[in-house]
Amino acid sequence: MVLAVATALASANKADAEVVTGVVCEALQNAGAEIAQSVLLFLTEDFARHAQVAVTAASRAGNCLQVIGCSAPGVFTERDWVLDRPGVAAMVFAAGVSIGAANGAHEPVLSLSTPAAATASWLAARRQRFGMLSSSGSTQKAGKIWVHAKTTADNRLDAVFHGANGAIGVSRGVRILTPALEATHCDGYDVLRINGYPALNTLIRELPLELRDLPQLPVHQLCAGIIEDESEDAIARCRYTLVPLIGANSDERSVTLAAKIAPSTRMFWAVRSPLAGERDTRVMLDELDSTLPGAPDFGIMFSCMGRGPYFYDGADRDLELVRSRYPRMPLIGAYGSGEIAPQFDGNKIIHNCAVLSLFRGARNGNV
């Protein structure tokens, strides 16, 4: 079966519906088609105030009603990325693959939600989810989500790609600093002692020299890995949850985490770093290569605002690595405040990660 999938991207000085029209028309031209079966549309938060006008423009340009997507702080395609100004990214499906409802499907489910609508029961669906939280990057205000070319009051969506099978990968981008440790004394969010020693001391002792010598602890780069498995190789098998640090008390020598942990919890310290991010993305791509039965036909990626150009000093190395591996593959994505991905214990909202889903379309009745 012939697939016709293509993307287009544009930035502008103002959030104007004409920009959306131009992007969808360009994507159709890139696909060699005049009408789209479906359109996946991501708009920067500049369009959120008049989202319905923009989505209607996309629907008219694509001559279809199946337009889905959300607003986000930033957007990108395989061509480039747009942050800090109005931007539009569109992927059109003109033949071979279409977007549809996730009714009993086994394919990965595209899941977009505002922060408040991403409930535990919704995430706990048995099928694998991948997606992001739609919000404003500066205020965490809920973003806009659209389904069937209309903004939705449900503030979330589930969709699958009929005619294609997919595989999901996650790049965490952390360097693990310690083996498994025991939190021997905790008080709510505060970890006081680890293996019997002051918690802050156990962290500082393992920091890379360039971080240890900073005048202030780089809390935004640090996290604790909470081990959820009793096996000896739990860390190697990624059986853990990363929890950000939110502070440290130099007098008490304690560390404050973004989640409560109980005494005797097994944990480790880790640091986010660009080198670790590139390494993890390469590993993720290798694993996805081994999962799919052939080269992917299109990809969808969601990256945290704490990743992307802000993380890689003005370049998006995750995007560059995907583009280098699959130079002719249409790719669309968005930068957000939280990513949705399957973990060892079910679908979770994760942070500071890149989530990539690659899809291969049907060929002679097989995928």
Side-chain angles (χ1 to χ4, degrees):
M1 180 181 294
V2 176
L3 270 68
V5 180
T7 68
L9 175 76
S11 62
N13 293 325
K14 59 183 287 188
D16 195 306
E18 291 182 3
V19 181
V20 180
T21 298
V23 167
V24 175
C25 288
E26 182 183 346
L28 279 172
Q29 183 178 4
N30 293 338
E34 296 182 355
I35 298 175
Q37 293 181 355
S38 310
V39 178
L40 180 55
L41 178 72
F42 295 130
L43 306 174
T44 57
E45 57 197 16
D46 313 87
F47 289 86
R49 184 177 179 183
H50 302 292
Q52 184 58 64
V53 174
V55 173
T56 299
S59 176
R60 288 173 177 167
N63 287 300
C64 79
L65 293 176
Q66 185 57 300
V67 179
I68 74 167
C70 70
S71 62
V75 298
F76 58 88
T77 67
E78 74 278 6
R79 173 183 152 198
D80 206 348
W81 50 267
V82 179
L83 278 165
D84 300 325
R85 63 179 311 197
V88 179
M91 176 176 279
V92 300
F93 300 85
V97 177
S98 62
I99 301 173
N103 296 326
H106 297 291
E107 299 94 337
V109 178
L110 173 62
S111 303
L112 304 175
S113 175
T114 59
T119 61
S121 58
W122 178 71
L123 287 168
R126 298 177 65 180
R127 51 200 171 203
Q128 291 187 328
R129 295 185 179 278
F130 72 99
M132 66 173 286
L133 299 181
S134 173
S135 67
S136 165
S138 58
T139 65
Q140 293 298 301
K141 181 180 177 181
K144 295 290 186 179
I145 295 173
W146 39 89
V147 183
H148 302 308
K150 293 183 179 180
T151 54
T152 173
D154 293 339
N155 291 324
R156 65 189 184 200
L157 73 81
D158 292 340
V160 297
F161 297 88
H162 297 304
N165 274 355
I168 305 170
V170 177
S171 172
R172 295 171 177 81
V174 296
R175 172 183 168 188
I176 295 174
L177 300 175
T178 68
L181 307 170
E182 181 183 351
T184 47
H185 188 185
C186 304
D187 182 12
Y189 296 91
D190 297 325
V191 183
L192 305 176
R193 301 185 78 81
I194 292 177
N195 283 7
Y197 297 97
L200 184 57
N201 293 5
T202 68
L203 172 59
I204 293 176
R205 183 178 62 217
E206 303 297 337
L207 287 179
L209 290 177
E210 66 271 17
L211 298 183
R212 197 184 308 170
D213 294 337
L214 292 176
Q216 290 186 331
L217 190 69
V219 173
H220 65 286
Q221 291 182 248
L222 303 173
C223 55
I226 308 304
I227 302 172
E228 310 284 354
D229 192 311
E230 295 299 322
S231 62
E232 291 296 322
D233 61 347
I235 297 178
R237 294 190 296 122
C238 297
R239 310 283 289 186
Y240 57 79
T241 300
L242 292 174
V243 177
L245 268 66
I246 60 175
N249 188 313
S250 58
D251 295 328
E252 295 181 355
R253 311 304 292 172
S254 63
V255 175
T256 303
L257 304 181
K260 295 180 181 180
I261 66 170
S264 300
T265 295
R266 295 174 71 217
M267 59 171 288
F268 59 84
W269 296 121
V271 59
R272 299 175 58 239
S273 78
L275 285 177
E278 289 191 41
R279 177 205 63 206
D280 284 359
T281 297
R282 293 180 191 275
V283 171
M284 174 186 70
L285 291 171
D286 289 341
E287 292 175 347
L288 288 171
D289 273 345
S290 66
T291 301
L292 288 174
D297 293 303
F298 64 94
I300 303 170
M301 186 160 75
F302 297 98
S303 186
C304 188
M305 287 290 290
R307 265 311 253 265
Y310 296 150
F311 186 55
Y312 290 112
D313 195 24
D316 189 337
R317 284 295 293 149
D318 298 315
L319 176 57
E320 291 173 358
L321 288 169
V322 176
R323 184 168 53 202
S324 177
R325 181 72 66 100
Y326 311 110
R328 291 179 295 276
M329 182 187 74
L331 176 74
I332 191 172
Y335 302 103
S337 59
E339 300 72 63
I340 298 170
Q343 301 290 280
F344 67 93
D345 55 348
N347 299 308
K348 300 290 183 182
I349 297 172
I350 56 179
H351 300 278
N352 299 315
C353 297
V355 177
L356 173 65
S357 293
L358 299 180
F359 291 85
R360 181 172 170 81
R363 285 162 174 80
N364 298 322
N366 298 313
V367 176

